[in-house]
Amino acid sequence: MKKIFITGCTGYIGSHTCVELLNAGYEIVGLDNFSNSKKEVLDKIKEITGKEIKFYEGNMLDKTILSKIFEENEIGSVIDFAAYKSVGDSVNMPVEYYINNVSSVLTLLSVMKSHNVKSIIFSSTAAVYGDSTIIPVTEECETGKTINPYGTSKLYCEGILKDLYKSDNSWNICIFRYFNLVGAHKSYLIGEEPNGTPANLMPYIAKVALGELPCLNIFGDDYNTPDGTGIRDYIHVVDLAKAHVSAIKKLELDKKGMHIYNLGTGKGYSVLEMVKTFEKVNNVKVNYKIVKRRPGDIAVSYADATKAQNELGWKAELTLEDMCRDSYMFTKSLKNKGVK
């Protein structure tokens, strides 16, 4: 069996996807530079699955290490998770985001071409839709009106992949547009563990609930939504990881094609709903305050994921309560271990 090469394999999404693929019987070669993850995740993946990843430490912009990986391993497909993902940071550091998120994809595709590996799953984002006028968002909705550099960087990468397929339709390309990832593995060994202050909502809520951070800032309560706070489609990371297993199986059966799928639950929850559900499920108090809107945010975004269900046989199964409980329990386990 040819191996699956996973970039960003120790990150939040990457680590959970490794677990699901290993449990499904696949062999994995991984690459990470630990810019937003920890080396110990490799041991935790082994503890959960009883299996090891063949791991390389390095940067996606380094063509030498990418070439080495393809030369030393028989790679069948690639899953690319290696990207910066903070909307706020992208607004403040657009150049860094474009270099990391776009140049890395160009480097990867160049090496794939030279080794005649033409199967890739690319992790994109619902941010490519911008502030969509159609809700729920379908894959046919207009893209291109992105409102932050993070979303634009992913949009550029999608354009590169589409142009590549037009030039050579023997490629097999799957683009996943993720909505908002939350939760952790039921073992509570892996989860969202960002370096430094969390940029995403759920780990921030969890740290406030545990007293590690004083207060949650809710960016705006004057959006055109029932309670004035932004509405998003939150999906459990384990559900999302399982979608990649379904996609790998599809790529193995369909030897060529361009496939684009939304990955979400099809339901939208406001920030205040998230906070209240978190408090109820975990019997905790989350202190919060309303502050001004954050640049690059939109009012409402949630998915129509019917296409993924119809073509991949995949559907999100875990609930908002599961997401809140697993996020809290994972962050609590880190605190108990003395992890900052």
Side-chain angles (χ1 to χ4, degrees):
M1 178 188 291
K2 290 186 177 181
K3 297 177 181 178
I4 301 168
F5 174 39
I6 300 183
T7 71
C9 66
T10 60
Y12 180 39
I13 307 171
S15 60
H16 287 81
T17 302
C18 285
V19 166
E20 297 303 323
L21 285 167
L22 288 169
N23 284 340
Y26 291 94
E27 292 185 67
I28 294 172
V29 177
L31 173 72
D32 213 310
N33 66 350
F34 308 117
S35 64
N36 197 35
S37 63
K38 295 180 172 65
K39 197 168 187 175
E40 305 87 77
V41 170
L42 293 167
D43 295 326
K44 293 174 182 178
I45 291 171
K46 183 180 178 181
E47 186 175 346
I48 293 169
T49 65
K51 300 175 183 178
E52 287 192 24
I53 296 169
K54 185 174 181 181
F55 179 74
Y56 294 78
E57 183 175 351
N59 193 299
M60 276 278 289
L61 294 170
D62 183 354
K63 197 169 186 176
T64 301
I65 193 166
L66 288 177
S67 298
K68 177 182 172 69
I69 289 168
F70 281 85
E71 288 162 6
E72 294 182 353
N73 303 277
E74 191 176 7
I75 304 297
S77 297
V78 176
I79 305 178
D80 182 21
F81 293 120
Y84 294 157
K85 63 177 185 176
S86 167
V87 169
D89 285 349
S90 78
V91 173
N92 296 323
M93 302 185 299
V95 172
E96 290 84 350
Y97 264 67
Y98 289 126
I99 290 173
N100 186 77
N101 291 5
V102 181
S103 297
S104 63
V105 170
L106 290 168
T107 306
L108 173 63
L109 292 174
S110 174
V111 175
M112 288 178 68
K113 281 187 69 177
S114 66
H115 289 84
N116 199 35
V117 177
K118 296 184 176 183
S119 178
I120 183 170
I121 298 173
F122 176 71
S123 60
S124 190
T125 171
V128 300
Y129 295 114
D131 196 355
S132 177
T133 57
I134 300 173
I135 301 292
V137 180
T138 72
E139 291 85 354
E140 287 70 42
C141 285
E142 182 183 4
T143 61
K145 295 182 179 179
T146 50
I147 58 174
N148 56 68
Y150 165 66
T152 305
S153 73
K154 290 293 188 177
L155 183 72
Y156 288 163
C157 292
E158 286 196 13
I160 291 165
L161 289 166
K162 290 173 183 177
D163 285 342
L164 176 61
Y165 182 72
K166 286 177 186 176
S167 73
D168 179 359
N169 63 13
S170 66
W171 278 77
N172 205 0
I173 299 170
C174 176
I175 295 172
F176 276 145
R177 292 172 179 162
Y178 304 154
F179 282 69
N180 294 65
L181 275 293
V182 292
H185 189 267
K186 62 183 178 181
S187 66
Y188 303 132
L189 289 170
I190 56 173
E192 189 166 13
E193 192 178 354
N195 293 334
T197 303
N200 294 334
L201 176 64
M202 189 66 91
Y204 209 109
I205 290 176
K207 284 184 176 291
V208 171
L210 288 165
E212 295 181 26
L213 292 171
C215 183
L216 170 70
N217 290 330
I218 295 179
F219 297 100
D221 65 348
D222 56 350
Y223 288 104
N224 186 23
T225 63
D227 63 22
T229 62
I231 291 175
R232 297 291 184 272
D233 188 333
Y234 296 93
I235 177 174
H236 200 293
V237 66
V238 172
D239 275 334
L240 182 124
K242 289 178 178 178
H244 293 76
V245 180
S246 298
I248 284 290
K249 291 176 179 176
K250 180 178 178 64
L251 294 182
E252 289 174 340
L253 292 173
D254 303 336
K255 296 304 180 185
K256 57 185 180 180
M258 165 65 74
H259 318 280
I260 300 175
Y261 301 102
N262 287 336
L263 294 184
T265 64
K267 298 177 183 177
Y269 297 97
S270 74
V271 176
L272 280 178
E273 283 181 285
M274 289 290 288
V275 171
K276 299 305 178 186
T277 303
F278 191 98
E279 289 180 326
K280 182 179 179 181
V281 168
N282 297 305
N283 193 28
V284 293
K285 175 65 177 173
V286 177
N287 296 318
Y288 68 85
K289 63 181 178 181
I290 307 297
V291 298
K292 68 179 182 179
R293 292 188 186 188
R294 183 172 54 182
D297 277 347
I298 60 177
V300 180
S301 178
Y302 60 92
D304 181 333
T306 306
K307 184 180 177 184
Q309 183 176 353
N310 290 343
E311 296 188 12
L312 300 178
W314 170 88
K315 185 178 181 181
E317 297 176 346
L318 296 169
T319 66
L320 181 61
E321 287 75 15
D322 293 324
M323 301 175 209
C324 290
R325 180 185 61 253
D326 291 346
S327 294
Y328 180 66
M329 292 300 292
F330 172 72
T331 309
K332 190 175 181 180
S333 75
L334 292 179
K335 184 177 182 180
N336 292 338
K337 294 171 187 174
V339 178
K340 298 295 184 182

